[in-house]
Amino acid sequence: MGHDVVHGRIAPPNPIADDGDDYRFCSTCAFGAVCVGSGVDKIALRDLHCLVEHVGNYRPGTTIFRTGERFSAIYAVRSGTVKTRLVDIDGRELVLGFYLPGELVGLNAIHPESYPCDAVALDTVEVCRFSFPALATLATRMPGIQQELFRRLSKDIGNAALLAGDYSADERLAAFLIGLGRRYAERGFPADTLHLAMSRGDIANYLRLAAETVSRVLRRFQDQGLINVDGRDVAIAKPAALFDLARPILQR
Amino acid sequence: MGHDVVHGRIAPPNPIADDGDDYRFCSTCAFGAVCVGSGVDKIALRDLHCLVEHVGNYRPGTTIFRTGERFSAIYAVRSGTVKTRLVDIDGRELVLGFYLPGELVGLNAIHPESYPCDAVALDTVEVCRFSFPALATLATRMPGIQQELFRRLSKDIGNAALLAGDYSADERLAAFLIGLGRRYAERGFPADTLHLAMSRGDIANYLRLAAETVSRVLRRFQDQGLINVDGRDVAIAKPAALFDLARPILQR
DNA sequence: CGGATTTTTGACCAATGTCAAGACCGGTGG
DNA sequence: CCACCGGTCTTGACATTGGTCAAAAATCCG
């Protein structure tokens, strides 16, 4: 499957968005469907190309934007995984989301007009930077892009609300694994062999659990034969059973 | 202050959006600022007027839209209070939000293209209905409207994420009261004398607590002299102290 | 006035967090 | 190659918050 070897073990599937040439856009690009789909307006496409800026090679732990910085752009992940997080007044870290290639980071900054969170690279990350004013202007000429932005914004509302339910640790973790699998699958990677780019602590802060609880639940899932855990590699052995656990969250 | 008398007690401040005439829009209208602000495009404004539809008099408990219905429109509350909720597979009700006059309901339906929740009137409610396809089309001609939609969508992401933190019951309730006060204040009503249109159970389902817990915490807040509770009327006696409690949530 | 609903209060319990210690890497330098 | 070091992860014992169940009180509304 063409895995690379990094730090001494087989690297996980690491989807990367194809750059494309001047007129064909990144195949995994946030706006790929829009451009490829309808009769592509060559001029508008060139504009889109102009306003996008490839930014490469964020090292693990480095920051793409920080809380409080003036909002000027949204970012599409090209490769790697990004987390957004905020640190509340008494030091608790709250992870807002994880972003895989093709997903958009920074949509929650439009309203406050400054980033309300940090965006941190979890591994080696490349992104595309879209100037938001320029993108919005373009969106008035390309309804498909406007629509896509509306869709993504709306989707994020749903995802955030999902997480907010008072679900049990089991439900949360099951839904997390299934959800991650689905998102990998959307990008053409197996939905049942996951590599977690984030630490247990990150997962815990995302799911609003203690890191110890994450560890314990994963252990139990493995004892029950639902999954096989090897460090940050997780194989989903019984997707149906796991989905049953996650049902209250996923199947609203 | 011109309160009406309803069911035997002094009615709370009940902001209602002014209808305006054909060319001046509802003063509390979701898009009021856009129209009033920049050099109003008369033709576009007429279009906006055409695509909006005033829908009146939802009685308490009646439904504006239901889970699963095809998405076709968003709604701006004109008067009264709306809650959105979903009922998960084993019957737990999850309240997603409360909407005051001037706020938009249904933005979370753009992505799934069907409403992912019910919208229910808590008291007597009037709304404006905006056909979404028409609104989106108009937004391509009126950048201000597009921008306003982006802003509102983005804001909802932030609000949903806020709620998702693992905060204590005290923090949640304090933030809830302060937040509601602020939203009333935005509409020109006092921020410290609230009337809750929703039941304790609704608040609990919104904050992911048990109704009993809501009751107990309100009691304690009152014992501590932070608020005065009289049924569904709440007076905030010590806003600063309450804000201190809510700080981890509000001041991220 | 009277039944229904909502709210409050109390007693108890369970899920999850906290604290602490130890295991398990992966990386580094001798 | 091996020993050590630092961080992450796991495991256990215990504490605590908030949920559950039940019943009484208050409120609503015909």
Side-chain angles (χ1 to χ4, degrees), chain A residues 223-243:
Chain A
D223 290 347
Q224 295 166 343
L226 300 177
I227 61 177
N228 287 300
V229 184
D230 172 22
R232 292 190 176 183
D233 292 309
V234 177
I236 301 183
K238 296 188 181 156
L242 207 57
F243 180 82

Side-chain angles (χ1 to χ4, degrees), chain B residues 73-155:
Chain B
I74 60 176
Y75 296 83
V77 179
R78 289 182 58 226
S79 67
T81 306
V82 173
K83 79 169 172 185
T84 52
R85 65 116 186 271
L86 55 90
V87 181
D88 81 8
I89 197 153
D90 33 57
R92 294 178 285 193
E93 174 177 303
L94 188 52
V95 172
L96 299 183
F98 300 111
Y99 300 85
L100 305 185
E103 300 179 332
L104 291 181
V105 189
L107 292 176
N108 58 351
I110 298 172
H111 164 61
E113 292 178 52
S114 63
Y115 296 100
C117 57
D118 305 327
V120 181
L122 291 178
D123 42 23
T124 300
V125 164
E126 293 176 301
V127 298
C128 298
R129 180 183 190 282
F130 295 88
S131 153
F132 189 74
L135 189 57
T137 303
L138 184 61
T140 62
R141 277 190 293 144
M142 291 189 69
I145 289 192
Q146 187 195 68
Q147 191 59 22
E148 190 59 24
L149 280 168
F150 285 150
R151 278 192 60 250
R152 301 247 183 178
L153 279 154
S154 179
K155 194 172 182 177

Side-chain angles (χ1 to χ4, degrees), chain B residues 7 9 167-169 208-210 212-213 216:
Chain B
H7 41 260
R9 59 162 33 152
Y167 300 107
S168 71
R208 287 61 164 133
L209 300 169
E212 292 92 328
T213 303
R216 279 186 257 262

Side-chain angles (χ1 to χ4, degrees), chain A residues 39-142:
Chain A
V40 188
D41 176 341
K42 282 283 165 58
I43 298 163
L45 187 51
R46 180 180 289 271
D47 288 353
L48 184 52
H49 240 192
C50 286
L51 68 86
V52 74
E53 196 184 324
H54 285 185
V55 187
N57 265 30
Y58 287 94
R59 293 274 132 208
T62 56
T63 295
I64 296 159
F65 55 75
R66 279 179 204 282
T67 305
E69 286 177 8
R70 199 177 63 77
F71 170 65
S72 60
I74 60 175
Y75 296 83
V77 179
R78 287 182 59 227
S79 67
T81 306
V82 173
K83 79 170 172 184
T84 52
R85 65 114 187 272
L86 54 90
V87 181
D88 82 9
I89 197 150
D90 33 57
R92 293 178 286 191
E93 173 177 304
L94 188 52
V95 173
L96 298 182
F98 300 110
Y99 300 85
L100 304 185
E103 299 180 333
L104 292 181
V105 189
L107 292 175
N108 58 350
I110 298 172
H111 165 61
E113 291 178 51
S114 63
Y115 297 99
C117 57
D118 305 327
V120 181
L122 291 177
D123 41 24
T124 300
V125 164
E126 294 176 300
V127 298
C128 297
R129 180 183 191 282
F130 295 87
S131 153
F132 189 73
L135 189 56
T137 302
L138 185 61
T140 62
R141 278 190 293 142
M142 290 190 71

Side-chain angles (χ1 to χ4, degrees), chain B residues 65-73 75 109 112-115 129 133:
Chain B
F65 55 74
R66 280 179 204 283
T67 305
E69 286 176 10
R70 198 177 63 78
F71 170 65
S72 60
Y75 296 83
E113 292 178 52
S114 63
Y115 296 100
R129 180 183 190 282

